[in-house]
Amino acid sequence: MRSYVVKQFGQEIEPVDAPDLQPSGTEVVIKVTRCGVCHSDIHLQDGFYELGGDKRLTLGPRGGIFPPLVLGHEVLGRLVAKGPDAPIADGELGKQFLIFPWIGCGQCDSCKRGEEQNCNKPAAIGVNKPGGYADQCLVPHPKYLIDFGNLDPAFAATLACSGLTAYGALKKIQCDREHDWLLILGAGGVGLSAVSLAKAIGFKNIAVADIDPAKRALAEGAGAALSVDPRDPAAVAGFQKTTKGVAGAIDFVGASSTADFGIAALRRGGTFVGVGLMGGETVISTVLLVLRNICIRASYVGSLEDLKELVALARSGKVSPLPMELAPMADVKSALARLRQGQVKGRLVLVGE
Ligand SMILES: [Zn+2]
Ligand SMILES: [Zn+2]
């Protein structure tokens, strides 16, 4: 098998050949046919996150993320081998599945509650464990394999992170979806997924804030009723007049400016959800927090059940796929470089042989 490996933080990805994977116990082996390229792969390749205020979070053994890394957590492929204890029904060998990547230790209280994404000893595929930038991928148990039906496999792959991140964040906004306003900050790949998903689950009034006019146009095409350039005072005034304060704001960027804009845009009792990892910080008045009765929280990917719900929603035909670009798996290095330079509109998916 061939893997595309980050041998040291900050270095380019290199191909490495090794013997085929041999599953043991309940493990299964997936021959990768699609793998989405996610913006967080850039942070994982660099080895740090910018925290804002010139501070950095450095990745390493303490956090369970260290090279050599095989990135790629939006993995989909054909089930080709199973360990002796893997419960696989007849006819499932050879079928294609989507992988739930946000796997935990399986033992702790979070994992037992089905919130493996909150595990303190994560074993996430493409983050802590080898991922989908490879011919083959090892999954610890077939319970993490999801049947995606007749969905386009490239679209289905993007549900594992970009889709799930958007869906998980939307589930945290409690409001009247018929009348209240929802604000999406940042209309990149995940923000666009959120617009389409929000429509699918009944949000009627969706506003989008982005500085890029091309991305605002894509968001309106995906169903946003209103889009605003947060740097344009006249546009912001119009946005405030129309929405009279939003019930929910989801920040898919995570810069200081986007968080400030989103928190300021809330109506009383509204909820701000932080998702993006660009790096920023903000100061909040403890008094205004109370007087405005607002909720400020975050959302990190989602659970296995969330992903199953999302796949079912997509299979019902309610979610329109994003603009997508395909590239051969062997081009992963240039794919990441293009994402880093902001040249990808929508979502980039690698195709395995
Ligand atoms: Zn991701
Ligand atoms: Zn755990």
Side-chain angles (χ1 to χ4, degrees), residues 41-306:
D41 291 333
I42 291 171
H43 299 295
L44 295 169
Q45 185 183 23
D46 290 343
F48 61 87
Y49 288 97
E50 296 286 359
L51 295 179
D54 295 326
K55 293 184 286 289
R56 273 184 177 183
L57 172 69
T58 307
L59 304 177
R62 254 189 86 220
I65 304 173
F66 51 93
L69 288 169
V70 180
L71 302 174
H73 49 264
E74 291 184 340
V75 196
L76 179 146
R78 205 170 291 290
L79 175 57
V80 289
K82 67 182 249 351
D85 307 321
I88 297 284
D90 286 347
E92 287 195 325
L93 218 57
K95 257 185 78 174
Q96 289 203 87
F97 292 94
L98 173 63
I99 300 176
F100 172 76
W102 309 108
I103 298 171
C105 71
Q107 309 295 321
C108 70
D109 290 346
S110 288
C111 286
K112 285 180 184 157
R113 278 197 303 271
E115 295 169 5
E116 294 192 49
Q117 77 276 23
N118 293 333
C119 178
N120 283 328
K121 287 189 188 134
I125 287 173
V127 181
N128 313 98
K129 300 283 178 188
Y133 297 163
D135 298 338
Q136 298 179 355
C137 184
L138 194 71
V139 180
H141 194 283
K143 70 181 175 186
Y144 300 114
L145 305 181
I146 299 175
D147 183 356
F148 60 94
N150 293 324
L151 291 174
D152 168 14
F155 168 55
T158 67
L159 296 177
C161 178
S162 133
L164 183 61
T165 295
Y167 186 64
L170 285 165
K171 280 183 77 173
K172 294 179 174 79
I173 309 267
Q174 301 295 325
C175 69
D176 176 355
R177 294 177 182 177
E178 191 75 30
H179 299 104
D180 278 326
W181 278 90
L182 170 71
L183 172 63
I184 303 290
L185 296 134
V190 190
L192 279 179
S193 296
V195 173
S196 157
L197 269 174
K199 268 190 72 116
I201 60 174
F203 284 92
K204 292 284 189 291
N205 304 309
I206 305 165
V208 168
D210 199 295
I211 55 175
D212 181 345
K215 288 185 179 163
R216 290 201 301 274
L218 277 178
E220 289 189 7
L226 182 65
S227 75
V228 57
D229 179 350
R231 296 181 305 190
D232 175 352
V236 172
F239 160 79
Q240 285 164 342
K241 196 165 172 236
T242 306
T243 63
K244 298 181 184 70
V246 301
I250 307 177
D251 182 1
F252 289 106
V253 183
S256 306
S257 57
T258 50
D260 287 342
F261 189 84
I263 293 166
L266 296 177
R267 67 154 162 71
R268 292 187 72 195
T271 299
F272 171 87
V273 183
V275 175
L277 297 170
M278 176 171 277
E281 54 188 0
T282 191
V283 173
I284 293 152
S285 155
T286 53
V287 173
L288 290 178
L289 187 69
V290 179
L291 294 180
R292 295 175 68 205
N293 196 15
I294 57 176
C295 170
I296 296 177
R297 64 160 302 164
S299 185
Y300 175 69
V301 297
S303 67
L304 176 59
E305 281 313 305
D306 290 334

